[in-house]
Amino acid sequence: MENSLFIYNTLTHRKELFKPLHAPHVGLYVCGPTVYGDGHLGHARPAITFDVLYRYLTHLGYKVRYVRNITDVGHLEHDADEGEDKIAKKARLEKLEPMEVVQHYTLRYHKAMERLNVLPPSIEPHASGHIIEQIAFVQKILDAGYAYVSEGSVYFDVEKYNRDHHYGKLSGRNIDELLETTRELDGQTEKRRSIDFALWKKAAPEHIMHWPSPWSEGFPGWHMECSAMGTKYLGEEFDIHGGGMDLMFPHHECEIAQSVAALGHETVHYWMHNNMITINGQKMGKSLGNFITLDEFFSGSHPLLTQAYAPMTIRFFILQAHYRSTVDFSNEALQASEKGLARLMEAYERLQKIVPAAQSTIDVSGLRDRCEEAMCDDLNTPIVISHLFDACKAINTIADGKATIAAADLEELKATFKLFVEDILGLQTADNSADNTAYKKAVDLLLEIRRQAKQNKDWATSDKIRNELTAIGFTIKDTKDGFEWSI
């Protein structure tokens, strides 16, 4: 924990030195997926962003309790106070139990995260498993006088809260503007003001998922789950709350108001938000026809894709941009990332084969410090990657026999690459499956036979192996220590 980590606090709009409440323990809460439909590229960005934060905090020596929630059943669509739960709708149409639908999409999400090498959180609570805690939280807000019951539903009184505190401090919204611009919606006459939001909703007869409460048979409002589960697992005050920028308003704004109303103080010390991924400048969405699922990226099956993209290419593509900047998808951008990742990993693999010399004739010092400095500057992964690429030039120079490196420098270079490429950026070198291992060994065996044929001046065998492998897409390079190959 010697490094000074600065992170951009969305609440204060500035970079701040990270000071945990109870070092070395850190509480990290991230809004996870709403498990209906297939996850798309935009869902990968917060997962990868906060995975890197989790990895780096752990590297710095902190003991991180990472909580990432699952929004499953019982809620309404985002902030609407009317409508139908999408999971319940799908369950009714397909004659399934709602939890069957939840299980299906949760498993798909976990599989996608595993392929992207996103580490699992410490705790992954489901909203439907914490109804009691949400009811208790609503009661606290009622007791404090910042909510009211209307026809079996409970609503947060935004106007009253704003008189005592400041509603809109995270997103910069002005309550007077909200009063003017928030339209009245059909079926919301039971609310005092259109900007009030539901803490608990009385269930309509057709609503499948509902639970008993002091006010009605119903279900919690969307915002309530994070307030209840965050404080349950991380305490009434914790260090970091993260999520996508699209959640800043109303979701996270309402979380702040709920916590202050119920507890008398704010819960979160640092708010972090990643920016979105766009396609041709537009946010990804089904209504725009530009919605591409992660499975479609991995298989190349979507009409907007010219090829399939490996999970590590997707991860590298996301890490090449700072988490607070917008990333615009294109096939050209992903293809460039694919080539860049291949260059980085090829150099990393060559690094493992370098034989140390008596002394270094090339300067490879300072790489670790430069990468640490970039990571401590609000997780600046693009700068880390640029430093690693600079080091790749030195690695290739040494591997090509145009420079030498001493044992101590070589070990430091290997350790630094492993730390930042694998442990922090989470980039996997290759598929470590048994099939892939056998495949690599088979190619190595062929090239070893070729090397021996050359030694025996059996040029016909040597040329045949080289030509046949080259014809099916292999690049073969002879080195002073043997050979190298790639596809």
Side-chain angles (χ1 to χ4, degrees):
M1 292 178 287
E2 296 176 357
N3 295 82
S4 297
L5 172 61
F6 285 82
I7 58 178
Y8 187 87
N9 191 344
T10 313
L11 188 63
T12 60
H13 305 291
R14 64 173 183 264
K15 290 181 186 177
E16 296 179 4
L17 177 64
F18 178 61
K19 294 181 179 179
L21 287 165
H22 308 292
H25 298 275
V26 171
L28 169 63
Y29 189 96
V30 175
C31 286
T34 302
V35 288
Y36 56 79
D38 294 325
H40 57 73
L41 187 62
H43 293 159
R45 194 169 195 193
I48 291 171
T49 295
F50 294 102
D51 179 60
V52 170
L53 175 63
Y54 179 33
R55 289 168 179 268
Y56 194 61
L57 288 171
T58 303
H59 160 67
L60 292 179
Y62 294 113
K63 300 179 186 298
V64 185
R65 177 175 286 179
Y66 177 15
V67 180
R68 186 182 68 204
N69 73 293
I70 294 286
T71 299
D72 48 11
V73 291
H75 59 89
L76 296 175
E77 181 181 354
H78 295 300
D79 196 41
D81 289 329
E82 300 297 327
E84 186 173 8
D85 180 309
K86 287 189 175 182
I87 293 275
K89 180 179 180 180
K90 188 174 182 66
R92 191 185 73 252
L93 292 174
E94 297 187 10
K95 294 182 170 53
L96 297 170
E97 282 291 329
M99 295 311 291
E100 285 184 90
V101 180
V102 169
Q103 182 75 350
H104 170 75
Y105 287 119
T106 302
L107 290 175
R108 288 186 68 141
Y109 175 75
H110 285 161
K111 184 176 179 180
M113 292 303 102
E114 184 177 348
R115 296 185 72 183
L116 290 167
N117 199 27
V118 171
L119 298 175
S122 314
I123 303 171
E124 193 173 57
H126 286 234
S128 62
H130 295 77
I131 301 299
I132 293 173
E133 290 85 352
Q134 293 179 73
I135 290 173
F137 212 97
V138 172
Q139 189 61 57
K140 287 181 181 179
I141 298 172
L142 280 167
D143 293 343
Y146 291 109
Y148 56 91
V149 180
S150 177
E151 299 180 27
S153 295
V154 184
Y155 293 98
F156 191 90
D157 192 331
V158 172
E159 191 171 23
K160 181 176 181 181
Y161 172 85
N162 191 65
R163 287 199 296 266
D164 299 333
H165 303 285
H166 178 195
Y167 182 80
K169 63 189 300 183
L170 180 67
S171 60
R173 303 292 178 103
N174 183 294
I175 191 170
D176 295 325
E177 294 175 359
L178 291 173
L179 285 167
E180 293 172 4
T181 59
T182 304
R183 61 188 176 93
E184 296 286 351
L185 299 176
D186 291 340
Q188 289 192 345
T189 53
E190 64 190 40
K191 295 200 298 185
R192 293 176 184 171
R193 304 300 293 267
S194 60
I195 58 173
D196 295 347
F197 57 90
L199 302 176
W200 183 267
K201 280 292 295 180
K202 181 180 180 180
E206 66 273 12
H207 203 92
I208 299 176
M209 302 297 290
H210 48 81
W211 295 266
S213 79
W215 318 289
S216 65
E217 185 81 13
F219 50 90
W222 174 43
H223 314 303
M224 184 50 60
E225 63 187 68
C226 290
S227 292
M229 294 189 293
T231 53
K232 175 180 176 65
Y233 293 109
L234 298 175
E236 288 195 2
E237 289 185 67
F238 58 89
D239 298 297
I240 302 172
H241 192 317
M245 197 168 287
D246 57 327
L247 297 178
M248 192 184 304
F249 184 87
H251 188 46
H252 291 161
E253 198 74 74
C254 293
E255 276 191 60
I256 291 175
Q258 288 171 170
S259 297
V260 172
L263 307 173
H265 59 79
E266 291 190 25
T267 300
V268 180
H269 282 224
Y270 301 87
W271 286 90
M272 295 180 68
H273 293 88
N274 64 273
N275 216 321
M276 67 179 108
I277 294 178
T278 58
I279 296 182
N280 297 323
Q282 293 182 309
K283 183 181 176 182
M284 195 176 291
K286 285 187 176 178
S287 61
L288 298 172
N290 63 2
F291 181 94
I292 308 176
T293 70
L294 288 170
D295 283 344
E296 287 170 334
F297 271 104
F298 300 155
S299 65
S301 59
H302 193 280
L304 290 177
L305 300 174
T306 58
Q307 65 178 82
Y309 295 100
M312 285 302 101
T313 298
I314 301 294
R315 186 175 179 107
F316 189 68
F317 169 69
I318 289 172
L319 293 175
Q320 279 185 297
H322 192 272
Y323 76 88
R324 286 192 289 112
S325 65
T326 303
V327 177
D328 195 52
F329 157 80
S330 68
N331 281 286
E332 293 75 17
L334 271 174
Q335 287 163 1
S337 292
E338 185 176 60
K339 291 177 182 176
L341 177 62
R343 280 186 11 243
L344 177 65
M345 291 315 207
E346 184 178 340
Y348 186 26
E349 190 168 342
R350 296 189 83 187
L351 174 62
Q352 310 310 314
K353 299 175 182 177
I354 290 175
V355 178
Q359 62 180 10
S360 296
T361 60
I362 191 169
D363 185 12
V364 294
S365 63
L367 176 63
R368 184 188 294 261
D369 290 341
R370 291 192 294 274
C371 290
E372 291 278 9
E373 182 180 1
M375 285 301 299
C376 283
D377 183 16
D378 195 28
L379 309 182
N380 203 328
T381 56
I383 298 299
V384 173
I385 291 170
S386 71
H387 291 323
L388 292 172
F389 273 126
D390 287 341
C392 287
K393 297 174 186 175
I395 291 169
N396 290 327
T397 300
I398 298 165
D400 290 339
K402 297 175 182 177
T404 59
I405 185 169
D409 290 340
L410 179 59
E411 289 309 308
E412 171 60 16
L413 190 56
K414 285 182 177 179
T416 301
F417 255 71
K418 182 185 184 304
L419 173 62
F420 286 96
V421 172
E422 293 190 48
D423 300 344
I424 293 174
L425 297 183
L427 298 170
Q428 294 176 314
T429 52
D431 179 8
N432 293 321
S433 67
D435 288 345
N436 192 66
T437 301
Y439 161 77
K440 291 177 70 176
K441 286 182 176 179
V443 178
D444 286 342
L445 176 61
L446 270 174
L447 291 176
E448 179 59 28
I449 293 171
R450 175 178 176 267
R451 188 184 68 81
Q452 291 174 3
K454 287 180 65 179
Q455 286 180 343
N456 296 331
K457 301 189 185 309
D458 181 0
W459 308 119
T461 301
S462 170
D463 291 347
K464 180 176 176 58
I465 293 173
R466 181 198 62 207
N467 294 341
E468 293 286 347
L469 287 175
T470 301
I472 59 176
F474 286 86
T475 299
I476 300 163
K477 183 177 182 180
D478 292 316
T479 68
K480 61 184 179 65
D481 297 315
F483 55 80
E484 294 177 357
W485 62 270
S486 61
I487 301 176

